[in-house]
């Protein structure tokens, strides 16, 4: 959207548009009758259907278009207000945006949910049936992408001028099927029937260059100039998605880029009969935005990932600069009007790209360009594991992005020379801080580039930030302590309580009013109700109803029947060794063996529910999924344990399924190895919905425990310091194995085929990874403590009044973990932006 025109040459058009904005009409009115007319209009004129031919999908689109209409005026007026105030804007660059479904969220945020439900009811339709027609927009893999989506919601709700930038993947995170217990990836065809929420902007395509070579020369003033020559070009086409704030008329933008060929068809090749060559450019270009996170175990996969990252960064930087120059004649105020936040290392090449634009295209001197760059960027780190910090081989980086490699080398040279000249670090520290890693393979360290090129570096939980300063980036912290800060993650209460748990939301609003929806700290007013027997009864009834809703989904999608009176013990998240789904399933298997051995043992009935996706190339994570399925097969078919243990792997974990899981859970499994999880946000969503956490002192668990109270949190396991001490004195998994009869029994059962009777050796690699692979995530070391803590969980659950009191206090004390608080901290302390109210 462009700024309002000065001295418009079409005053009649302007007056007509103004009248249209001021008078409610078929596209803006929000009463029930107007919504009925809008629905019928779109059903006929947008979908080409009537009441006889319309499908459920037609009706969904008619509702979605009716809602989108009512966003459009707000959207345009929001952007005009930003231009009118010449407001400083934040641009959030993220390779992932795990948005989920949009219709229900937009209805709630616009205040249209009840009117639309009433309109459809008058027409004999059920809104809930139409909501289920929308596919999840799965443009993310897990917490990183869902955090970005929560941030967009909070930015709009708080009225901050903001734009999100990402990739419009044709196929997002894969659909997960489970065949014979194994994960099978299927393409997620979320765009198969179109996307009601996006607005294509083909007139705003951006050319993106790859490969080629650089030519160096001097201009008429004797200054060095570099030209990127013989490059291969693709086009980035933007698709804009409106993001509505909660009942404040603000609508921000998520701009997603789709890759297109600069030449869709080479007609000469086609006419010559070389049909493959004729569409070669089309295939090369469209692959870039085809799939989220292509498997990078191959050289080609690595190259495609680098292409993806530069593609969306190049398009976004071009767009940001162009928008700035519409209202400014030079770059002197660029950092005063632009803040760019890098969501992890994926977009870190944006630093080199902005330097290229400023120096090569806009002819700024290097030093001036670098000052602008450093004053503009902020970097959020999301991982403590060095192997997860992106590195690109110099050969690959230089071949794909030849000019950017030169820029990176120059940034690095000046940085190292400046630090060395000031005698502020020794040679060892310089080697660790260098953007170029020299040994064993020469690589570009993207995290180091992000730190060097940003004015702010933040972690996402208090513990995580301390470990960044103390370990991962200790040399940078010693050099620039003022750059480092913490911004503990948060989740939007609009989606994760108001939308996903409507009965509990209504009960909370009846008790304390609606203010908590935009100020989650007001949930504290629930604390006295933890001692109110009537509210506790209501809370338990709502929890049971939510468990029933989830049980219906589990039965339909997984063929598993759940006992609503059992403890719903849930671990849903990306499958990874450090998240220790393996620890959980080992204990479940041990519990099964204990019941088989001791017929007098009567544990409280429990349903152990797992969910999450493993990266396609992550073999051990896939083995964990298979192990969960195999344990489930044995346990669920054994009459000796029926009614006491049920195990399920919920396939194809996604946002819309998460919206049913969090409200139904009794126990939240947050059991990562201490010092490995940056923050976590699932832990916050569970607590917000009244699940009690069993967890380690890792990530945001530390702060959740501080907020809800140690007595309302089940803590176990080694601390970060104990982990380091154990490794320091030499950790021997075999010693733990020999010293714990229960642990030995379950590992022996795995190795001997108790849980894989048709393939006795199936899980020996899993056992071998623990005993002979060093148990890198200390699963065995924490096993005994975890089992003991689970016994505490069971004792607490046997007291329903006490458990409910703890659950209510978890809800009441998780207001800190609203993404609204997180965004205010970013806005005030890093971005230096202010809300803009429409006027």
């Amino acid at each position: 959207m462009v700024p309002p025109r000065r001295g418009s040459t079409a005053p009649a058009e302007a007056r007509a548009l103004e009248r249209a904005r001021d008078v409610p009409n078929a596209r803006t009115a929000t009463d029930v009758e107007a919504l009925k007319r809008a629905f019928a209009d779109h059903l006929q004129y947008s979908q080409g259907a009537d009441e006889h031919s319309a499908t459920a999908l037609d009706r969904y689109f008619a509702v979605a278009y009716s809602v989108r209409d009512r966003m459009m005026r707000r959207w345009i007026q929001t952007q005009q207000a930003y231009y009118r105030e010449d407001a400083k804007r934040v641009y959030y660059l993220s390779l992932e945006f795990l948005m989920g479904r949009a219709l229900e969220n937009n209805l709630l945020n616009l205040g249209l949910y009840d009117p639309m439900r009433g309109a459809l009811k008058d027409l004999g339709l059920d809104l809930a049936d139409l909501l289920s027609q929308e596919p999840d927009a799965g443009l993310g893999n897990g917490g990183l992408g869902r955090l970005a989506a929560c941030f967009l919601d909070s930015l709009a709700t708080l009225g901050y001028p903001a734009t999100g930038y990402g990739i419009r993947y044709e196929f997002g995170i894969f659909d997960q099927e489970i065949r014979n217990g194994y994960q099978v990836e299927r393409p997620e065809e979320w765009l198969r029937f179109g996307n009601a929420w996006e607005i294509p902007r083909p007139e705003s395509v951006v050319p993106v260059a790859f490969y080629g070579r650089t030519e160096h020369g001097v201009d008429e003033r004797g200054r060095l100039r570099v030209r990127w020559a013989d490059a291969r070009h693709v086009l980035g086409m933007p698709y804009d998605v409106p993001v509505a704030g909660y009942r404040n008329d603000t609508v921000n933008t998520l701009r997603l880029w789709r890759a297109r060929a600069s030449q869709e068809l080479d007609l000469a090749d086609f006419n010559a009969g070389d049909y493959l060559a004729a569409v070669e450019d089309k295939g090369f270009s469209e692959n870039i935005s085809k799939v989220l996170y292509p498997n990078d175990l191959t050289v080609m996969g690595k190259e495609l990932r680098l292409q993806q990252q530069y593609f969306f960064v190049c398009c976004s930087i071009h767009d940001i600069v162009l928008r700035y120059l519409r209202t400014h004649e030079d770059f002197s105020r660029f950092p005063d009007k632009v803040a760019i936040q890098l969501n992890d290392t994926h977009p870190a090449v944006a630093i080199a790209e902005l330097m290229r634009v400023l120096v090569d295209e806009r002819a700024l001197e290097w030093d001036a360009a670098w000052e602008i760059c450093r004053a503009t960027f902020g970097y959020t780190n999301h991982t403590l594991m060095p192997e997860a910090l992106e590195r690109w081989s110099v050969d690959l980086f230089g071949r794909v992005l030849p000019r950017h490699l030169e820029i990176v080398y120059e940034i690095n040279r000046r940085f190292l020379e400046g630090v060395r000249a000031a005698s502020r670090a020794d040679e060892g520290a310089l080697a660790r801080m260098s953007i170029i890693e020299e040994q064993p393979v020469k690589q570009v360290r993207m995290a180091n580039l992000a730190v060097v090129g940003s004015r702010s570096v933040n972690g996402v939980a208090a513990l995580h930030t301390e470990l960044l300063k103390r370990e991962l980036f200790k040399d940078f912290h010693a050099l620039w302590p003022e750059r480092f800060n913490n911004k503990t993650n948060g989740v939007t209460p609009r989606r994760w309580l108001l939308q996903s748990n409507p009965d509990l939301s209504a009960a909370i609003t009846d008790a304390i009013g609606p203010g908590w929806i935009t100020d989650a700290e007001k949930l504290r007013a629930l604390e006295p109700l933890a001692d109110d027997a009537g509210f506790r009864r209501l809370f338990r009834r709502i929890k049971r109803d939510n468990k029933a809703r989830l049980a219906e989904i589990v039965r339909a999608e997984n063929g598993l029947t759940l006992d609503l009176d059992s403890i719903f013990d849930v671990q849903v998240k990306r499958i990874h060794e450090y998240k220790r789904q393996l620890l959980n399933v080992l204990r479940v298997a041990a519990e099964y063996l204990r019941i088989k051995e001791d017929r007098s043992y009567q544990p409280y009935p429990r349903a152990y529910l797992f969910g999450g996706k493993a990266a396609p190339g992550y073999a051990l994570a896939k083995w964990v999924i298979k192990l969960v399925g195999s344990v489930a097969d044995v346990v669920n078919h054994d009459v000796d344990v029926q009614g006491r243990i049920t195990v399920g792997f919920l396939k194809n974990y996604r946002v819309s399924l998460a919206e049913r899981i969090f409200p139904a859970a009794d126990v939240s499994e947050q059991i990562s190895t201490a010092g490995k999880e940056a923050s976590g946000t699932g832990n916050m969503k569970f607590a917000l919905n009244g699940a009690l956490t069993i967890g380690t002192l890792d990530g945001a668990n530390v702060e959740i425990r501080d907020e809800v109270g140690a007595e309302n949190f089940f803590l176990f396991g080694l601390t970060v310091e104990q982990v380091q001490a154990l490794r320091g004195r030499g950790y021997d998994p075999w010693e733990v194995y020999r010293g714990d009869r229960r642990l030995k029994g379950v590992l022996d059962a795995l190795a001997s085929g108790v849980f894989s009777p048709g393939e006795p050796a199936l899980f020996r690699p899993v056992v071998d990874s623990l005993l002979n692979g060093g148990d890198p995530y200390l699963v065995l070391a924490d096993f005994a403590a975890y089992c003991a803590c689970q016994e505490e969980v069971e004792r607490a659950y046997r007291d329903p009044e006490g458990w409910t009191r703890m659950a209510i206090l978890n809800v009441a004390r998780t207001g800190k973990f609203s993404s609204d608080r997180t965004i205010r901290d970013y806005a005030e302390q890093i971005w230096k932006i202010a809300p803009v109210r429409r006027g």
Side-chain angles (χ1 to χ4, degrees):
M1 296 178 185
V2 298
R5 289 173 293 177
R6 297 170 183 144
S8 172
T9 58
E13 178 190 24
R15 286 194 299 272
L17 288 171
E18 195 63 38
R19 283 196 300 273
R21 295 186 194 109
D22 291 341
V23 179
N25 57 48
R27 293 186 182 271
T28 61
T30 58
D31 60 278
V32 168
E33 290 303 316
L35 292 174
K36 285 160 64 174
R37 289 193 300 272
F39 171 82
D41 190 66
H42 277 297
L43 192 64
Q44 182 172 358
Y45 295 108
S46 299
Q47 294 302 108
D50 61 17
E51 68 274 21
H52 304 295
S53 62
T55 64
L57 191 65
D58 287 324
R59 295 185 173 103
Y60 155 73
F61 273 107
V63 172
Y65 288 140
S66 300
V67 174
R68 193 183 77 173
D69 285 348
R70 281 142 186 83
M71 299 174 77
M72 285 299 174
R73 183 172 66 177
R74 295 175 171 92
W75 196 8
I76 292 168
Q77 290 179 338
T78 298
Q79 303 310 310
Q80 288 178 344
Y82 295 163
Y83 277 114
R84 189 165 52 248
E85 292 203 14
D86 193 18
K88 183 176 183 179
R89 307 186 192 214
V90 63
Y91 299 100
Y92 197 79
L93 272 59
S94 179
L95 204 59
E96 298 185 33
F97 285 95
L98 194 55
M99 302 298 287
R101 293 171 174 168
L103 176 54
E104 186 174 7
N105 193 244
N106 286 331
L107 285 168
L108 287 168
N109 282 7
L110 296 170
L112 293 176
Y113 188 90
D114 289 335
M116 182 61 78
R117 183 171 58 179
L120 293 174
K121 184 178 180 181
D122 286 353
L123 298 172
L125 300 171
D126 186 345
L127 175 60
D129 293 339
L130 302 186
L131 293 175
S132 66
Q133 293 296 311
E134 183 176 11
D136 279 56
L139 307 183
N141 184 40
L144 184 81
R146 187 52 234 174
L147 179 77
C150 285
F151 279 6
L152 292 183
D153 177 270
S154 288
L155 284 160
T157 295
L158 297 172
Y160 287 117
T163 300
Y165 284 110
I167 295 179
R168 182 185 179 268
Y169 302 101
E170 184 177 344
F171 304 101
I173 185 63
F174 57 85
D175 278 341
Q176 179 192 57
E177 294 183 5
I178 303 296
R179 295 183 190 167
N180 192 30
Y182 293 97
Q183 171 180 292
V184 177
E185 300 90 25
R186 302 288 298 172
E188 185 199 47
E189 298 181 82
W190 74 287
L191 291 171
R192 182 191 313 172
F193 300 112
N195 179 8
W197 306 105
E198 66 185 15
I199 305 294
R201 308 285 189 191
E203 73 283 3
S204 299
V205 294
V206 177
V208 182
F210 295 100
Y211 306 106
R213 58 188 175 83
T214 59
E215 294 178 346
H216 295 249
V218 294
D219 63 14
E220 64 281 358
R221 295 170 57 186
R223 297 178 302 181
L224 176 67
R225 286 289 170 259
V226 181
R227 189 174 75 89
W228 192 350
D230 299 331
R232 187 171 188 176
H233 288 87
V234 303
L235 298 177
M237 178 172 162
Y239 289 73
D240 287 348
V241 179
V243 180
Y246 184 77
R247 315 243 173 133
N248 66 347
D249 288 338
T250 293
V251 179
N252 282 336
T253 303
L254 169 62
R255 175 160 280 194
L256 301 173
W257 300 97
R258 172 193 167 209
R260 288 177 42 195
S262 56
Q263 181 176 276
E264 296 275 325
L265 179 73
D266 188 317
L267 197 57
D269 283 338
F270 189 89
N271 288 335
D274 194 344
Y275 304 126
L276 290 178
V279 294
E280 181 182 357
D281 272 355
K282 180 179 175 66
F284 166 79
S285 302
E286 293 184 356
N287 278 342
I288 292 172
S289 57
K290 186 73 72 177
V291 176
L292 169 68
Y293 292 148
N295 190 342
D296 63 355
L297 293 180
T298 66
V299 173
M300 294 294 288
K302 286 184 173 66
E303 192 163 335
L304 182 54
R305 281 209 186 189
L306 179 58
Q307 289 169 356
Q308 282 187 335
Q309 292 179 14
Y310 177 65
F311 164 74
F312 104 91
V313 157
C314 174
C315 292
S316 303
I317 293 296
H318 173 94
D319 202 50
I320 292 166
V321 169
L322 187 64
R323 185 175 296 108
Y324 169 82
L325 290 175
R326 284 181 183 139
T327 52
H328 301 86
E329 294 180 352
D330 59 36
F331 287 90
S332 60
R333 301 197 65 200
F334 193 80
D336 299 326
K337 297 298 177 183
V338 172
I340 302 174
Q341 192 68 28
L342 307 175
N343 193 28
D344 218 356
T345 55
H346 309 124
V349 72
I351 293 168
E353 173 63 8
L354 182 57
M355 285 297 292
R356 185 191 70 81
V357 170
L358 294 177
V359 173
D360 294 355
E361 295 184 358
R362 302 293 173 174
L364 270 68
E365 296 289 349
W366 180 280
D367 289 342
W370 182 243
E371 285 305 309
I372 290 169
C373 218
R374 269 203 330 109
T376 299
F377 283 102
Y379 163 49
T380 301
N381 173 276
H382 284 277
T383 181
L384 287 162
M385 296 190 291
E387 64 270 21
L389 296 175
E390 285 190 304
R391 294 172 169 85
W392 301 107
S393 75
V394 166
D395 288 344
L396 172 63
F397 196 92
R399 182 161 52 82
V400 177
L401 302 171
R403 177 55 180 147
H404 295 76
L405 182 60
E406 294 177 348
I407 290 171
V408 167
Y409 268 117
E410 183 63 12
I411 291 171
N412 196 47
R413 182 187 70 80
R414 291 176 181 237
F415 161 63
L416 294 178
E417 285 182 359
V419 175
R420 189 177 284 117
S423 301
R424 299 189 63 189
D426 60 29
E427 289 302 316
L430 287 171
R432 290 188 295 271
M433 289 190 289
S434 174
I435 299 170
I436 304 298
E437 183 177 27
E438 300 292 343
Q439 299 293 337
V441 177
K442 206 163 190 175
Q443 299 184 98
V444 182
R445 296 164 164 161
M446 302 308 287
N448 289 23
L449 174 62
V451 174
V452 171
S454 297
R455 64 183 298 270
S456 167
V457 178
N458 73 277
V460 291
L463 174 62
H464 171 234
T465 300
E466 286 307 306
L467 292 173
L468 286 182
K469 295 190 289 188
R470 199 168 73 210
E471 297 177 8
L472 191 66
F473 294 140
K474 64 179 181 180
D475 300 305
F476 286 115
H477 180 250
L479 186 64
W480 298 311
E482 72 284 354
R483 289 194 192 182
F484 287 80
N485 60 92
N486 178 58
K487 299 291 173 282
T488 297
N489 282 344
V491 302
T492 169
R494 269 80 60 188
R495 183 177 289 264
W496 296 112
L497 186 52
L498 180 66
Q499 176 179 325
S500 65
N501 202 340
D503 292 346
L504 182 57
S505 297
I508 292 171
T509 299
D510 287 345
I512 65 172
W516 64 270
I517 298 171
T518 52
D519 183 0
E521 289 288 356
K522 290 184 177 178
L523 289 169
R524 286 271 178 186
L526 288 173
E527 284 194 26
L529 294 173
D531 295 318
D532 183 305
F535 191 80
R536 290 199 302 270
R537 278 195 303 274
L538 175 61
F539 192 93
R540 284 195 296 275
R541 180 184 64 74
I542 291 169
K543 178 66 73 172
R544 185 180 175 85
D545 289 347
N546 287 332
K547 291 167 84 168
R549 292 187 189 99
L550 177 61
E552 290 178 12
I553 295 170
V554 172
R555 184 167 54 249
E557 294 190 0
N558 299 274
L560 183 66
T561 300
L562 301 179
D563 175 6
L564 301 186
D565 292 320
S566 65
I567 303 171
F568 278 24
D569 185 321
V570 184
Q571 187 176 21
V572 287
K573 54 184 72 215
R574 181 167 52 93
I575 309 297
H576 197 288
E577 289 170 88
Y578 84 82
K579 295 177 184 290
R580 299 202 298 189
Q581 287 92 350
L582 184 55
L583 174 61
N584 190 348
V585 72
L586 286 179
R587 187 200 156 268
V588 173
E591 191 78 346
Y592 166 77
L593 294 174
R594 183 178 176 185
I595 296 172
K596 295 288 286 183
E597 286 178 11
D598 181 2
R599 298 303 173 94
S600 66
Y601 176 53
Q602 295 288 329
Y604 197 96
R606 200 181 301 211
Y608 297 95
L609 303 177
F610 297 79
K613 297 177 180 180
Y618 194 172
L620 194 52
K622 288 185 167 183
W623 274 111
V624 170
I625 293 174
K626 173 60 177 173
L627 176 58
V628 172
S630 296
V631 170
D633 283 343
V634 171
V635 169
N636 296 342
H637 292 93
D638 190 328
V639 294
D640 292 338
V641 300
Q642 279 185 0
R644 286 182 279 180
I645 301 181
T646 304
V647 183
F649 187 89
L650 310 185
K651 66 181 181 180
N652 203 33
Y653 182 56
R654 58 202 183 275
V655 173
S656 58
L657 181 56
E659 290 169 3
R660 295 293 166 262
I661 290 173
F662 291 123
D666 295 307
V667 176
S668 163
E669 298 274 354
Q670 307 299 329
I671 59 177
S672 54
T673 313
K676 294 300 181 183
E677 184 73 81
S679 170
T681 52
N683 46 9
M684 302 168 186
K685 295 162 194 166
F686 277 116
L688 185 63
N689 283 276
L692 301 188
T693 303
I694 179 170
T696 54
L697 286 178
D698 195 28
N701 287 357
V702 179
E703 292 161 84
I704 291 174
R705 183 170 179 263
D706 288 344
E707 290 292 313
V708 304
E711 69 279 8
N712 302 310
F713 185 107
F714 297 97
L715 177 67
F716 79 95
L718 299 169
T719 65
V720 171
E721 292 74 20
Q722 290 169 336
V723 166
Q724 293 169 340
L726 177 60
R727 287 184 171 138
R729 64 177 179 265
Y731 171 53
D732 182 4
W734 281 98
E735 182 181 344
V736 181
Y737 164 82
R738 296 186 189 101
D740 187 330
R741 188 184 70 84
R742 190 176 184 186
L743 176 62
K744 183 178 185 300
V746 72
L747 292 180
D748 289 349
L750 285 184
S752 63
V754 170
F755 296 100
S756 53
E759 299 177 80
L762 182 63
F763 294 117
R764 285 179 190 165
V766 176
V767 176
D768 187 62
S769 74
L770 295 171
L771 294 176
N772 300 316
D775 185 19
Y777 298 100
L778 305 180
V779 170
L780 306 188
D782 272 344
F783 181 79
Y786 180 54
C787 292
C789 194
Q790 286 284 16
E791 291 177 4
E792 291 180 35
V793 170
E794 180 174 322
R795 283 194 295 272
Y797 197 84
R798 287 181 183 274
D799 173 12
E801 296 295 341
W803 182 276
T804 307
R805 183 180 185 279
M806 296 165 70
I808 293 169
L809 290 175
N810 266 257
V811 177
R813 295 173 178 174
T814 50
K816 169 184 174 178
F817 304 105
S818 167
S819 51
D820 296 347
R821 186 269 313 153
T822 313
I823 286 299
R824 281 196 190 94
D825 288 349
Y826 274 101
E828 294 170 5
Q829 299 167 24
I830 298 178
W831 304 329
K832 310 296 183 185
I833 61 173
V836 173
R837 302 301 177 192
R838 282 178 41 193

